[in-house]
Amino acid sequence: MKTTTRKRSALSSLVTFMLARLEPAQCFHATTTTRPNNMRTTASYFRESDESESAASYFSFLADTLTPQQLPAWLSIPQSHLAETNMKALQSEMRESSYFTETESRKLMLAIEDAAAGDRSKVAGAAEFCLLLQETVEIGFNALVAACYHYCSCVTARKRVSGWYLDDSHEHLHSYGAHVMKISEDTDRLKRLEMVAATVTSSEPADRVRPDSKDAENLRKLLLSETHDWRALAIRSGACLYRLRGILKSPVEGDRRTRVAARTAREALSIYAPLSSRLGLHKLKNELEGDAFRILYPRQFAAVNSLAHETIGGDNDVGQNMKQLLAEVQQEMTTMLENDEEFSKLVENFSVTARVKEPFSMWKKMLRDGYKHVLQVPDALALRIIVDAKKLTPDEPAEVTRARDRALCYYAERLCAARWKPAPDNPRFKDYIKSPKRNGYQSLHYTAHTEFRGQMWSLEIQVRSGEMHKVAEFGLASHWDYKIAKGSESNFDVSVEMTGNYFKNVKQWHWEQHGGSVKVDASPASSEPVTMSDIWQSRRRVDRIRERTAKLEPYLQAMTAAQENLAREQVFVFFGSKLMALPAGSCVLDAIRSVNPARVHEEDLVLNGSSTSLTHLLSNGDVLSVVQEARV
């Protein structure tokens, strides 16, 4: 006689059921509870009755037996009184952006009211979340509607049954069209994967830092692989920023020092900021990194902030001088190149951009190299020249044009070196055109120095061709795991938002120099009839959409290529307490052998809540476990 007892948590059963049966499977948060030995497993529960009825019954059982969890810092602050204020702020932002029609603005307000179902706190939060997305991403009307419903469902889940089940039964969501439904479903899918990852890694020892670099790398790749619509990934990255801002706004100082706060900040640095960068959402990336910096490293944040306020050169502080110096050099450099006869004769077009090194990166460099002041950091300020050579004849071979590109890069660098002299102590000349980096990066670098208001400043000047820039930004050189793979999370080049001071001003100026961050919702606008004011706005609207679509296109092309490569090469599976990356085409046996070569009984295997075989092929997001058999 043989009896079998499988000790599995109710959450594990729920997660695997959702992965296997629900589309979209939706959940928001996970905690672990122990299932009594005499309780039926969820897998058998669903085999014994109709799935739709059993799902509702099972979730009802959870609601009756579990107590709601304490709300996290980002949802615990009372905000019902802010409902009208936040709605007006969102409307104002939509109006000023010239990106939305008045009709769309009104429809979004109605969508928020419907999603909130009369809860003024949800209205305030959903409006704030949409405003955050509009300010950092500008994902467009369809995605904002999906985002407000997603937010309200997540809050409901948090307040109900420890956030296990996200109710997506909003009866009016489908009325906004197929694009909204598609984004909503994709967002839910990504959230489900995030929840499963959090559940899996929560079983690790409490003293382990989570997520570790390998788990973060694999989760980034899994989320990218499973993203059907890039706007869903933008919404989930924006949700991380919303959590960070909530932590920072919490009136309880201890909320910034909890394990949850630290993990949220680490996830921002290791998962969502790199994904935002991969999408070309640079402003969102910097906001994520900046707020995470404030939470994880408060003393370092205060130190960098103090340096930024030091006054030099009259009444201006360091930050103001940096901004003014770069603006002057950028203008002079542009004029110099435009007025050079030889350069103008051979160049098709060129651009000069400027940037200030992000604060956390600057602090790390000062610490690593022993600099005592930001003025000593050689690349604290940088200017970049991008040139495209003319074709001298219509049928000129591409190789000849590329050779002229390279020649123009060297020529432009010589012009700059004659005007902005190389730093006498360490000019740091780097020729990555002649000797490219292993990741394909090509550019010319040198460190110049110049006097400004009685103070010597260092400037890094870079020169590259348009083709080199495209490779650096969208190709192999910008591969989304390249920088991350070079070191641990402590090596991230992160920025910081410091409201009301130098860094906020510098960052705003930075985006203005680049014409705003790269962000666009390329989906069609709503089908609602337009008003006269909509028609009046249409020209500016079309121009902005066209401009942003052009900027975003290379990032989406690179993302698609990365997805295709991942699909060919790897499959990502939750196994034990890890998210594993296995070769594409791997089966259950391959996963087991990669962890433990010991023999495993096939009847001990559970995949997505059901029995499986050793030869079963694995898919992205599968949850595999080996349960212990107790035989008598």
Side-chain angles (χ1 to χ4, degrees):
M1 176 179 177
K2 180 175 75 170
T3 61
T4 300
T5 301
R6 300 193 175 200
K7 297 182 178 180
R8 301 173 59 203
S9 69
L11 174 62
S12 176
S13 300
L14 175 60
V15 169
T16 52
F17 164 76
M18 287 162 52
L19 282 166
R21 315 268 182 151
L22 295 181
E23 185 58 28
Q26 300 178 330
C27 44
F28 186 71
H29 179 70
T31 56
T32 302
T33 58
T34 303
R35 179 182 64 83
N37 291 341
N38 61 352
M39 184 186 296
R40 289 177 298 172
T41 65
T42 301
S44 64
Y45 192 105
F46 288 117
R47 282 196 295 269
E48 293 170 8
S49 60
D50 175 76
E51 290 183 4
S52 60
E53 294 181 1
S54 61
S57 177
Y58 188 69
F59 292 131
S60 176
F61 160 76
L62 290 176
D64 292 339
T65 57
L66 300 173
T67 58
Q69 66 171 18
Q70 182 179 358
L71 288 177
W74 55 88
L75 293 179
S76 61
I77 302 174
Q79 55 180 348
S80 299
H81 63 289
L82 296 175
E84 298 303 322
T85 300
N86 291 354
M87 292 278 272
K88 289 179 180 178
L90 176 58
Q91 282 184 302
S92 177
E93 177 66 24
M94 294 176 71
R95 188 178 303 113
E96 293 176 5
S97 71
S98 303
Y99 189 58
F100 298 92
T101 66
E102 289 294 333
T103 299
E104 288 174 331
S105 177
R106 289 195 298 271
K107 285 189 69 176
L108 181 59
M109 300 305 114
L110 292 174
I112 291 174
E113 293 282 0
D114 177 61
D119 187 327
R120 304 314 291 169
S121 180
K122 288 182 183 177
V123 169
E128 181 184 23
F129 183 47
C130 289
L131 179 60
L132 176 153
L133 293 172
Q134 169 61 13
E135 290 176 338
T136 59
V137 183
E138 293 188 10
I139 48 180
F141 173 78
N142 291 330
L144 288 178
V145 172
C148 75
Y149 278 94
H150 182 70
Y151 172 88
C152 291
S153 295
C154 289
V155 174
T156 299
R158 278 282 190 176
K159 292 180 177 179
R160 189 172 53 199
V161 194
S162 297
W164 283 19
Y165 177 54
L166 183 59
D167 181 9
D168 66 338
S169 60
H170 295 291
E171 56 181 311
H172 299 141
L173 184 59
H174 69 278
S175 67
Y176 291 95
H179 291 284
V180 174
M181 292 298 296
K182 177 177 179 291
I183 298 168
S184 178
E185 292 171 1
D186 204 21
T187 306
D188 294 335
R189 180 185 302 106
L190 298 182
K191 182 56 197 177
R192 174 194 64 191
L193 292 172
E194 294 172 26
M195 186 281 293
V196 177
T199 304
V200 167
T201 58
S202 67
S203 62
E204 286 288 287
D207 58 349
R208 290 285 298 276
V209 174
R210 286 292 170 190
D212 66 19
S213 58
K214 179 52 68 174
D215 282 337
E217 176 187 354
N218 289 340
L219 184 55
R220 287 193 306 273
K221 291 180 177 179
L222 174 58
L223 292 175
L224 182 68
S225 299
E226 291 299 302
T227 295
H228 299 169
D229 190 305
W230 70 271
R231 292 162 293 188
L233 193 55
I235 291 172
R236 291 308 312 153
S237 298
C240 182
L241 179 58
Y242 183 88
R243 295 193 292 270
L244 294 175
R245 288 185 176 179
I247 292 170
L248 290 171
K249 286 192 301 185
S250 174
V252 181
E253 182 65 25
D255 285 344
R256 301 187 187 185
R257 305 178 187 276
T258 64
R259 183 177 298 277
V260 172
R263 176 162 182 155
T264 301
R266 292 190 184 98
E267 288 174 347
L269 291 177
S270 60
I271 298 171
Y272 300 103
L275 287 173
S276 299
S277 179
R278 190 71 182 93
L279 290 173
L281 306 175
H282 301 302
K283 188 171 185 179
L284 176 59
K285 166 187 174 289
N286 279 0
E287 297 289 340
L288 285 164
E289 292 176 331
D291 286 350
F293 179 27
R294 294 180 65 181
I295 293 169
L296 285 177
Y297 309 108
R299 288 181 299 173
Q300 291 87 337
F301 171 86
V304 176
N305 194 20
S306 176
L307 284 174
H309 282 298
E310 182 179 340
T311 301
I312 61 173
D315 296 331
N316 293 335
D317 62 26
V318 171
Q320 291 171 323
N321 278 287
M322 283 182 169
K323 185 168 80 168
Q324 292 174 12
L325 170 60
L326 274 179
E328 289 186 14
V329 174
Q330 182 182 25
Q331 181 58 52
E332 185 178 352
M333 189 176 290
T334 301
T335 302
M336 178 189 71
L337 294 172
E338 287 175 342
N339 293 338
D340 187 88
E341 188 174 332
E342 290 299 319
F343 184 81
S344 299
K345 186 166 41 177
L346 297 175
V347 72
E348 180 70 27
N349 54 68
F350 76 94
S351 65
V352 179
T353 57
R355 68 105 177 109
V356 179
K357 195 173 186 65
E358 300 294 348
F360 187 37
S361 178
M362 194 179 311
W363 174 80
K364 288 190 304 174
K365 195 150 194 173
M366 292 172 64
L367 184 66
R368 185 188 68 196
D369 297 338
Y371 297 126
K372 301 299 183 183
H373 198 280
V374 294
L375 296 180
Q376 296 175 310
V377 178
D379 58 345
L381 306 176
L383 295 106
R384 177 181 296 152
I385 301 171
I386 301 174
V387 303
D388 286 304
K390 285 181 181 177
K391 282 181 174 288
L392 299 186
T393 60
D395 58 346
E396 180 177 271
E399 294 80 4
V400 175
T401 308
R402 282 196 291 269
R404 191 175 299 111
D405 275 338
R406 293 191 293 272
L408 278 171
C409 289
Y410 287 108
Y411 184 77
E413 185 187 52
R414 285 199 299 273
L415 290 176
C416 291
R419 169 60 186 86
W420 294 279
K421 300 295 183 183
D425 50 344
N426 185 14
R428 300 169 74 242
F429 276 102
K430 298 176 182 178
D431 187 346
Y432 294 121
I433 294 180
K434 181 179 179 182
S435 302
K437 291 184 179 181
R438 291 180 61 187
N439 65 334
Y441 178 87
Q442 290 185 287
S443 189
L444 300 176
H445 295 192
Y446 87 94
T447 301
H449 73 152
T450 189
E451 183 177 352
F452 182 72
R453 294 184 176 175
Q455 188 78 34
M456 295 304 298
W457 297 77
S458 294
L459 301 168
E460 181 175 83
I461 296 177
Q462 303 177 7
V463 188
R464 64 179 66 155
S465 71
E467 183 176 334
M468 296 172 193
H469 182 66
K470 187 172 182 178
V471 171
E473 287 292 302
F474 316 120
L476 180 62
S478 66
H479 189 275
W480 65 308
D481 282 313
Y482 170 68
K483 288 185 178 180
I484 299 165
K486 291 167 63 179
S488 65
E489 81 174 25
S490 63
N491 289 328
F492 285 110
D493 180 13
V494 302
S495 66
V496 54
E497 166 157 359
M498 300 182 176
T499 304
N501 64 24
Y502 141 66
F503 289 116
K504 181 177 180 181
N505 293 332
V506 166
K507 285 168 66 176
Q508 183 60 40
W509 170 81
H510 174 77
W511 302 125
E512 291 171 357
Q513 297 300 306
H514 290 78
S517 55
V518 179
K519 47 207 176 188
V520 63
D521 187 346
S523 69
S526 68
S527 57
E528 195 76 4
V530 297
T531 65
M532 289 301 296
S533 60
D534 293 340
I535 297 173
W536 180 80
Q537 295 175 8
S538 62
R539 177 164 235 158
R540 285 196 302 166
R541 170 184 165 89
V542 168
D543 289 343
R544 291 196 67 179
I545 293 175
R546 183 184 296 115
E547 177 187 354
R548 288 181 182 150
T549 301
K551 289 182 179 179
L552 182 63
E553 184 179 7
Y555 290 96
L556 297 186
Q557 289 175 345
M559 187 185 79
T560 300
Q563 288 176 317
E564 293 172 352
N565 290 336
L566 288 171
R568 284 195 303 267
E569 298 170 3
Q570 292 180 303
V571 62
F572 301 93
V573 179
F574 297 99
F575 187 23
S577 61
K578 303 290 291 181
L579 173 55
M580 301 174 56
L582 298 169
S586 293
C587 62
V588 171
L589 181 59
D590 297 317
I592 294 172
R593 284 177 173 173
S594 68
V595 175
N596 184 2
R599 184 172 181 270
V600 175
H601 295 285
E602 189 167 86
E603 59 267 29
D604 293 345
L605 297 174
V606 175
L607 182 70
N608 301 334
S610 303
S611 301
T612 189
S613 67
L614 290 170
T615 57
H616 185 93
L617 290 179
L618 295 168
S619 301
N620 274 339
D622 279 347
V623 178
L624 176 65
S625 58
V626 179
V627 297
Q628 295 296 321
E629 298 276 356
R631 297 178 175 85
V632 179

